Amino acid sequence: MAAADELAFHEFEEATNLLAQTPNETTTRSDQLSPKGHVAVAMDSGGSYGAEDEVEESDKTVLLQEEKQQPGFWTFGYYQSFFDVDTSQVLDRIKGSLLPRPGHNFVRHHLRNRPDLYGPFWICATLAFVLAITGNLTLVLAQRRDPSIHYSPQFHKVTVASLTIYCYAWLVPLALWGFLRWRKGVRERMGLYTFLETVCVYGYSLFVFIPTVVLWLIPVPWLQWLFGALALALSAAGLVFTLWPVVREDTRWAAGVLLSVVVLLHALLAMGCKFYFFQPLPPEPMPSPHQATSQPPATMLPPTLPRSVAA
């Protein structure tokens, strides 16, 4: 049995000294954090203890306020988030556009609700410049094979290529997004991609045409058409596989017409680039040898005899 003095209340010297110095403070017992026989003293906000907790709480409050304040669409910060991607994400999305397969949704597996404009912007810019450069190189190579072809630098092709590619990459997704939004009001079970997701899908789908345009420099017509058909099939398949989960809830007629129009516009873009940028200039008309020899020779007038002077 424990002695009576062990069960009696003992006053600790540390607590007595601390309370003598700060009589207004309270004492709390902490058996887990402090050794036995010691008392932890909790200082109020005026002391040095607890100041770090206040700093952490104030930092959290500031962070929450910054997260709630979203910049407006007229500010630069609003569009900065659409370019916040790293190289691995862009390469993964390019790989997904080059290797489409059924059941593999580009938006769900690669975008993951974080569309970017960095990849589509530079893909369109690269494709426009590659089209203009290879179009000029095609004429240079044709002139080397046939000296009758007259070549002069065609800088206007840069403007034509830029307008064509950027208008296609923005206006077609805008029309598609508007049509799907209208059909969603008719068919409530239909899903819908955002406008930026639609632009992102179209932008990455054009990447396959960049190496294809370079390969079109090979002066073999059937090989050029083979590369073009392969690139068109890969790019259009990626669009169809991505749009199918959205349009499959619609009627068969509407889904078939929509996907057919998407593939047709993609084919028109590819064929238009092929015919406009890779057609050699017609040779300048040269005078034929027959025309040069058929001209009647110039008649030589006999020299006039001097008149006789009258005597």
Side-chain angles (χ1 to χ4, degrees):
M1 183 176 179
D5 55 349
E6 293 181 359
L7 298 177
F9 178 78
H10 294 276
E11 190 167 321
F12 299 97
E13 294 182 1
E14 291 185 30
T16 305
N17 295 332
L18 289 173
L19 289 174
Q21 295 176 1
T22 55
N24 294 327
E25 302 301 333
T26 59
T27 60
T28 58
R29 183 181 181 84
S30 60
D31 297 334
Q32 297 178 354
L33 299 179
S34 56
K36 288 185 177 181
H38 292 276
V39 176
V41 179
M43 304 293 290
D44 59 1
S45 59
S48 61
Y49 299 100
E52 294 182 357
D53 296 337
E54 288 189 358
V55 173
E56 290 180 0
E57 290 181 0
S58 62
D59 291 341
K60 291 180 180 179
T61 305
V62 172
L63 289 174
L64 290 175
Q65 290 178 356
E66 289 179 355
E67 289 179 359
K68 292 180 181 179
Q69 293 177 357
Q70 299 219 353
F73 68 93
W74 60 87
T75 60
F76 180 77
Y78 177 81
Y79 301 96
Q80 188 177 4
S81 61
F82 301 129
F83 292 85
D84 187 14
V85 289
D86 53 17
T87 305
S88 60
Q89 290 177 336
V90 174
L91 293 178
D92 178 70
R93 294 173 182 185
I94 290 175
K95 181 181 177 181
S97 66
L98 292 175
L99 300 173
R101 56 184 183 273
H104 191 80
N105 193 335
F106 182 82
V107 175
R108 187 174 68 251
H109 290 87
H110 297 280
L111 297 187
R112 297 184 181 90
N113 297 325
R114 289 192 61 186
D116 69 287
L117 296 180
Y118 180 86
F121 175 81
W122 286 111
I123 288 174
C124 293
T126 306
L127 181 58
F129 278 100
V130 170
L131 269 174
I133 293 172
T134 52
N136 280 271
L137 287 178
T138 301
L139 297 178
V140 173
L141 297 176
Q143 186 184 24
R144 289 189 176 183
R145 294 191 303 268
D146 187 2
S148 62
I149 297 177
H150 176 69
Y151 166 75
S152 60
Q154 299 179 347
F155 297 105
H156 67 278
K157 287 187 175 181
V158 179
T159 306
V160 174
S162 301
L163 290 176
T164 303
I165 298 301
Y166 276 104
C167 288
Y168 178 83
W170 281 90
L171 296 182
V172 174
L174 177 62
L176 178 62
W177 175 76
F179 178 79
L180 291 176
R181 191 174 183 83
W182 171 70
R183 293 300 298 176
K184 182 177 175 59
V186 178
R187 310 281 295 186
E188 296 182 355
R189 295 182 58 186
M190 282 185 59
L192 182 66
Y193 295 139
T194 63
F195 173 65
L196 289 178
E197 288 176 343
T198 310
V199 171
C200 194
V201 170
Y202 264 83
Y204 280 101
S205 68
L206 296 176
F207 179 82
V208 69
F209 289 105
I210 296 176
T212 304
V213 168
V214 177
L215 292 175
W216 278 349
L217 288 173
I218 302 175
V220 181
W222 67 268
L223 198 59
Q224 292 178 352
W225 285 108
L226 178 62
F227 290 143
L230 181 61
L232 177 61
L234 289 175
S235 184
L239 292 177
V240 172
F241 294 154
T242 303
L243 293 175
W244 174 246
V246 175
V247 301
R248 65 182 175 184
E249 299 296 337
D250 205 344
T251 60
R252 290 185 177 180
W253 181 85
V257 170
L258 177 62
L259 294 179
S260 300
V261 171
V262 168
V263 175
L264 180 62
L265 292 176
H266 226 54
L268 289 177
L269 176 68
M271 295 180 64
C273 293
K274 175 67 174 63
F275 284 119
Y276 182 80
F277 294 96
F278 293 90
Q279 283 294 330
L281 291 175
E284 291 185 348
M286 299 289 292
S288 61
H290 178 70
Q291 292 179 353
T293 57
S294 62
Q295 292 181 359
T299 57
M300 300 296 293
L301 295 177
T304 56
L305 297 176
R307 294 182 180 180
S308 57
V309 181

